Amino acid sequence: YGIARDLAAPDRLWVGTLKGAALLRTGPRPRVVETVGLAQGLANEQVWGVLPTPEGEVWVMTDNAFQVRARGARAFAMAPPVVQSPRSVPYDMQLDGAGRLWLARTDERGGLLVRDTRGAWRVFSRTGDGRPVTACRRLFPRTAGGVWVADGMDVLWSDGAVLQRVPGPVPLAHGS
């Protein structure tokens, strides 16, 4: 499902599968270096995304949770309460050009989250013009930092300080 380069070792890839995640060594003699699943703390083994961070964490997105393994830890833990709730549904995660972690989810508390370089979370629940944002689906990193966001109705952008709609009609809604 998901695939990402291990930032600590460029010859390794994290791969999400229906049976957990695996860290693969690439090159002339590829091999599995590590596998993670329920025994390593995953809430379930349907791993849709794996994302290593510059801080040495490994983030995993399963069917129903964002989870994280801290640098040096052996097990995955649930993401902090600001990120995860029983009503949250995870959809995407990305690092932007500034190395910040962004998460997209469906959640009435806000569909877009960013963690700044100090580790503080910001939840976006509305655009700058006041439209509710509760169901973000896909993220794409902006080179200068921040992300492009598809939320099912609009294309949005954020630099971490503001969340704005891209002006003009973008035909994402049914019937447009």
Side-chain angles (χ1 to χ4, degrees):
Y1 287 118
I3 188 166
R5 184 161 308 282
D6 186 346
L7 300 178
D11 67 333
R12 295 181 181 196
L13 294 174
W14 278 102
V15 179
T17 75
L18 287 173
K19 296 288 184 181
L23 180 60
L24 309 175
R25 188 184 77 195
T26 62
R29 298 172 66 159
R31 69 178 179 89
V32 175
V33 175
E34 177 184 5
T35 59
V36 296
L38 298 176
Q40 291 74 34
L42 292 185
N44 73 60
E45 293 185 326
Q46 294 185 6
V47 176
W48 293 93
V50 183
L51 186 66
T53 70
E55 296 80 23
E57 301 165 314
V58 178
W59 282 78
V60 169
M61 184 180 68
T62 67
D63 270 359
N64 58 5
F66 287 110
Q67 293 188 253
V68 61
R69 182 173 74 181
R71 177 190 298 259
R74 300 190 59 73
F76 283 82
M78 294 302 286
V82 69
V83 172
Q84 197 64 45
S85 80
R87 296 177 307 277
S88 295
V89 177
Y91 275 94
D92 202 0
M93 53 188 180
Q94 291 287 333
L95 293 174
D96 71 8
R100 295 176 297 181
L101 175 65
W102 292 81
L103 304 176
R105 67 184 184 185
T106 297
D107 191 309
E108 63 198 26
R109 300 174 300 161
L112 180 65
L113 297 91
V114 60
R115 186 181 66 184
D116 69 24
T117 55
R118 297 180 323 274
W121 287 97
R122 177 161 185 189
V123 178
F124 291 94
S125 60
R126 296 189 173 278
T127 60
D129 62 0
R131 191 181 69 74
V133 177
T134 59
C136 294
R137 305 291 191 196
R138 293 289 172 251
L139 303 172
F140 188 80
R142 296 173 67 214
T143 305
V147 290
W148 297 101
V149 182
D151 78 343
M153 298 298 287
D154 292 300
V155 174
L156 313 168
W157 65 270
S158 180
D159 59 5
V162 298
L163 177 62
Q164 300 290 338
R165 287 191 281 176
V166 172
V170 179
L172 297 181
H174 292 290
S176 50

